[in-house]
Amino acid sequence: MHDALHPAGSGFFDRLDADWAALCADPVLQRAVTGWVADGHLTDDIAAVTDLWSDSLTPAQLLAALRPAADGMTDALTDAVLRALLQLAAGRDRSASHAARVIVQAMLPAVIRITRGQVRTTGGRTRDAVGHVTVAALYEVARAGRIHLRPGRPAANLTLDTLRQVLAELAAEQGPAGEDLAAAEYIADPGPGPYEIARARTVYAAAARAGLHAGPVDDAASTPARMEFLELLLDAERDGALSAADARALAWRHIGGGIPDGEAAARSGTTAGAWQRRRSRALARLTASLQPQAAA
């Protein structure tokens, strides 16, 4: 996969390409890819995007589907394939390690950008040394099983988590500190893609049905934190941690600029003081409900 970011003869990364070429010729990987198609791990989530998959899909064709192109449908296909592979990589069998290896190969351009940002002329941070750390971090993150659950484009999320882990590992060295996480904005695509837009619409529709103060859907797609908070309230209400009134008390205060307590109390037929007490108790219950997750 040589390109402007990946020149020939680049040591560690060149060896990764050679390893990938050997893997593509390995019937074990071919059987794994065929199995993913046959058992629906790839086709189920991707059917809505394309009907071009077949039982004869090769590792090279799978990698090609993970490379963005100018075609909008291909962008959606890329996201769908990567999410499916991340789900496969979260397993504990040999097939999971194969899926993670495909992800590593697909993400090499991002890996190289991270590596270039961390190479130092002193302190032992050579291109190959940092490349080893970055690829190992990417592999671990891909196997963690959490990336496909987060909002936003999966490749951007995967890159950000890899960068965080690389910075944490390099920070333990005696050499210069790693670049600030603010540099991540130059790696990830900040614009919402088809997946997060559709997810935002789903969350906001559910919030509207629940009587939460949601605001415009387009605004949700551009502010993931706002959407995550709404989704958190919806989940808490569904799980019984919050009542419908509790969820509204928090949402009306914190979503879309907030509704003043007097106005919120009037809407609910109560006093501002009673409304403030409800909101305070609701926040305490929500915080308590999250403690087991934080400790896990």
Side-chain angles (χ1 to χ4, degrees), residues 232 236 239 241 282-296:
L232 179 64
D239 296 338
L283 181 59
R285 281 193 286 270
L286 178 62
T287 302
S289 74
L290 296 176
Q291 293 308 310
Q293 297 181 21

Side-chain angles (χ1 to χ4, degrees), residues 51-108:
D51 58 359
L52 301 179
W53 295 89
S54 68
D55 291 343
S56 61
L57 183 70
T58 67
Q61 290 171 327
L62 180 58
L63 180 64
L66 289 163
R67 297 174 181 171
D71 188 335
M73 185 184 79
T74 303
D75 287 339
L77 175 62
T78 296
D79 286 353
V81 174
L82 183 53
R83 283 195 298 271
L85 284 173
L86 286 166
Q87 292 170 349
L88 286 164
R92 291 295 177 264
D93 55 8
R94 180 71 179 275
S95 178
S97 64
H98 287 146
R101 181 61 181 88
V102 176
I103 292 169
V104 167
Q105 192 68 24
M107 296 293 294
L108 280 186

Side-chain angles (χ1 to χ4, degrees), residues 6 10 36 48 70 80 90-91 118 142 166 172 211 216 242 246 256 263 270 274 279 282:
H6 194 176
S10 57
W36 298 337
Q118 298 304 319
V166 169
L242 294 178
D246 288 341
E263 180 182 342
T270 186
R279 189 177 69 247

